[in-house]
Amino acid sequence: MDIQTLFNWLLEQQLLLSILFCGFIFLERFGLTTLGARFVYKLAWLMPAALVIANLPNAIKPLQNSNISHYLITPNQPFTHEMGISWALMYLLITTGLLIASFITHTRFVKSLQLTELTHFNHTLTTSAKTYISQHVATPMVVGILNNKLVLPSNYNTQFDKATLALILEHENVHIKRKDNLTNALILLPTILLWFNPLAWMAYASCRRLQELTCDERVLANKATHQHILYSKALVNCAAATPAGLMAYSHYGDKKTMLQRLTNIKHSGSSSRFAKGGLLLIVASMLSGLAIAKQPQAEITKEDHISPTIRIEPVYPAQAAKQGISGSVVLKYDIAANGKTKNISVIQSKPSDVFDKSAKEALAKWEYKISEAGFNDVLVQLDFAINSEVANTDLIERIKVSH
């Protein structure tokens, strides 16, 4: 898949993704008391699941019953040149820049901590990660994506009493066991791919807050009231100002996040089974609707015909023109309701692989008249000929575009 195709596909998914993001953000902001943090956190899986269902391939239809449009390309024709900025290229540059910035942010942050391994750490809680201390952190945290490191402030002995420290270490150990930093990195990657949608960043922030809330719930499960109080005081003391934009490392968060976590601790265990069941029913109905929408469409009527508005001339490969090579490529593609082409694939080409790339790149830029539901499995044959003389065929339609 080239960058233009990926960019077009991402744009086509924005309505569905934005609806899912808004629903997730709403539940994180207003539904925790009724549904519980762990339930809402698990609903994050709904977003990739809905995306997969919405993009399931349609049933394969027999090609011999499909209309094929012909298009003639010769090396001496004046080609159509697109003017203006290539939005796909700009998207690629910005996305690459954000990925590099994220990597640099993580590596510089760990380097700035100046970690010192704590070899004699006397505590009953065991963890699979090595423990370090740093003078540059005010709160405990876990760093590292694959190789986790537990980082404590250098004055942890005086900052926390033994009972409070035990609860804090248990919190960090939950992050380590669940591999939350790896989860954060895997969530951050698609967020960066959707950098142009502010709802994606808001959903990422909601997911991070829910991660901390679910961690709190696991720590405080079956704990006494005085331990809840100690833990709440520790959260207030650990309120940090660590930036979370491109960071995948688990930390305690800012003061606003702390207030949300304290509120959740106060109302923990009060979620409604009826509300959860109702929401699951709505989710199941939505996924079923998406699946039904992907069923093959009814046969196109004569009135509901395909109307092209823009056709970009394919570039005749220089090497093929120099060697006097002619050939053809049969492509299958779908037309979205907005008229954009998608799901382009080569069905047959002769000679093989000579004209495929040029044909696909051009077809990705074609546009059609806006329709109610779009069209599936449209076929086109692009004939690449050294001159305009091509053999007659028994195919249904031939289109010759002159400039």
Side-chain angles (χ1 to χ4, degrees):
M1 180 184 292
D2 56 36
I3 184 61
Q4 182 68 51
T5 304
L6 174 62
F7 182 63
N8 290 340
W9 180 82
L10 284 175
L11 291 180
E12 291 171 3
Q13 311 307 314
Q14 291 313 298
L15 177 59
L16 172 62
L17 287 174
S18 296
I19 293 173
L20 293 171
F21 290 151
C22 286
F24 185 71
I25 294 167
F26 179 83
L27 291 176
E28 185 266 331
R29 298 287 177 85
F30 305 105
L32 296 183
T33 303
T34 305
L35 300 171
R38 279 182 291 181
F39 181 82
V40 177
Y41 187 46
K42 291 177 181 179
L43 288 179
W45 287 103
L46 173 63
M47 289 180 276
L51 198 61
V52 168
I53 292 175
N55 289 276
L56 287 174
N58 293 311
I60 299 175
K61 299 177 182 179
L63 299 181
Q64 62 269 23
N65 293 331
S66 299
N67 294 348
I68 300 180
S69 296
H70 278 250
Y71 187 74
L72 176 64
I73 303 100
T74 62
N76 297 322
Q77 282 185 288
F79 300 145
T80 301
H81 296 281
E82 291 181 296
M83 302 298 290
I85 299 173
S86 172
W87 295 109
L89 179 60
M90 179 179 290
Y91 166 79
L92 177 63
L93 292 175
I94 295 177
T95 303
T96 303
L98 288 173
L99 290 172
I100 294 173
S102 178
F103 177 78
I104 293 174
T105 299
H106 281 75
T107 53
R108 283 185 176 178
F109 178 76
V110 175
K111 187 176 181 181
S112 69
L113 295 180
Q114 299 180 3
L115 301 177
T116 302
E117 186 172 358
L118 193 60
T119 54
H120 302 289
F121 183 51
N122 297 322
H123 200 275
T124 56
L125 182 66
T126 58
T127 176
S128 58
K130 292 183 178 180
T131 305
Y132 295 80
I133 58 172
S134 172
Q135 297 180 353
H136 302 280
V137 297
T139 65
M141 65 184 306
V142 177
V143 299
I145 303 298
L146 298 176
N147 184 23
N148 291 153
K149 298 176 181 178
L150 174 61
V151 182
L152 300 174
S154 55
N155 63 339
Y156 73 93
N157 275 325
T158 57
Q159 185 178 355
F160 308 107
D161 57 55
K162 290 184 178 180
T164 304
L165 181 60
L167 292 171
I168 290 175
L169 292 179
E170 189 174 348
H171 174 97
E172 300 301 335
N173 202 37
V174 171
H175 281 310
I176 294 170
K177 287 182 176 179
R178 297 194 311 191
K179 300 186 182 299
D180 281 344
N181 283 359
L182 178 59
T183 300
N184 294 338
L186 294 176
I187 298 174
L188 181 59
L189 177 59
T191 305
I192 291 177
L193 293 178
L194 297 169
W195 57 263
F196 52 86
N197 188 338
L199 291 173
W201 294 100
M202 294 173 65
Y204 174 73
S206 293
C207 202
R208 291 293 304 271
R209 287 192 293 268
L210 285 168
Q211 186 181 89
E212 293 299 326
L213 295 177
T214 56
C215 193
D216 294 340
E217 289 182 359
R218 288 190 60 174
V219 171
L220 295 177
N222 302 319
K223 292 292 193 300
T225 302
H226 74 278
Q227 290 175 301
H228 282 239
I229 296 173
L230 280 177
Y231 190 78
S232 299
K233 289 181 179 179
L235 290 183
V236 175
N237 293 332
C238 289
T242 307
L246 293 175
M247 291 290 290
Y249 298 150
S250 300
H251 56 81
Y252 278 78
D254 55 18
K255 293 181 180 179
K256 184 178 179 180
T257 302
M258 286 299 164
L259 291 175
Q260 186 184 30
R261 295 173 69 179
L262 292 172
T263 302
N264 191 64
I265 291 173
K266 180 179 179 180
H267 295 286
S268 61
S270 58
S271 59
S272 168
R273 290 185 177 181
F274 178 79
K276 290 179 181 179
L279 185 58
L280 286 176
L281 184 61
I282 294 173
V283 169
S285 300
M286 187 190 74
L287 293 179
S288 299
L290 285 174
I292 293 172
K294 289 301 296 180
Q295 295 299 316
Q297 299 177 356
E299 193 172 329
I300 300 171
T301 63
K302 292 182 179 180
E303 292 74 18
D304 192 17
H305 61 281
I306 300 173
S307 302
T309 57
I310 296 176
R311 281 194 176 116
I312 302 301
E313 181 77 17
V315 176
Y316 205 106
Q319 188 66 24
K322 183 178 179 181
Q323 297 178 6
I325 300 175
S326 298
S328 63
V329 181
V330 178
L331 300 168
K332 184 174 75 169
Y333 59 104
D334 298 335
I335 302 173
N338 62 1
K340 301 289 186 180
T341 58
K342 61 179 183 177
N343 301 329
I344 301 170
S345 61
V346 175
I347 301 301
Q348 185 179 1
S349 62
K350 185 179 181 180
S352 180
D353 298 329
V354 174
F355 302 103
D356 295 16
K357 182 179 179 182
S358 176
K360 291 180 67 175
E361 289 178 350
L363 186 56
K365 301 171 186 176
W366 288 18
E367 294 184 14
Y368 290 81
K369 184 179 178 181
I370 295 175
S371 59
E372 183 177 347
F375 303 93
N376 295 326
D377 297 341
V378 182
L379 293 177
V380 66
Q381 180 172 319
L382 304 181
D383 295 317
F384 292 78
I386 294 300
N387 54 56
S388 59
E389 296 298 325
V390 295
N392 292 327
T393 67
D394 57 356
L395 298 174
I396 295 174
E397 182 184 3
R398 175 177 295 280
I399 300 172
K400 182 176 180 179
V401 179
S402 58
H403 305 279

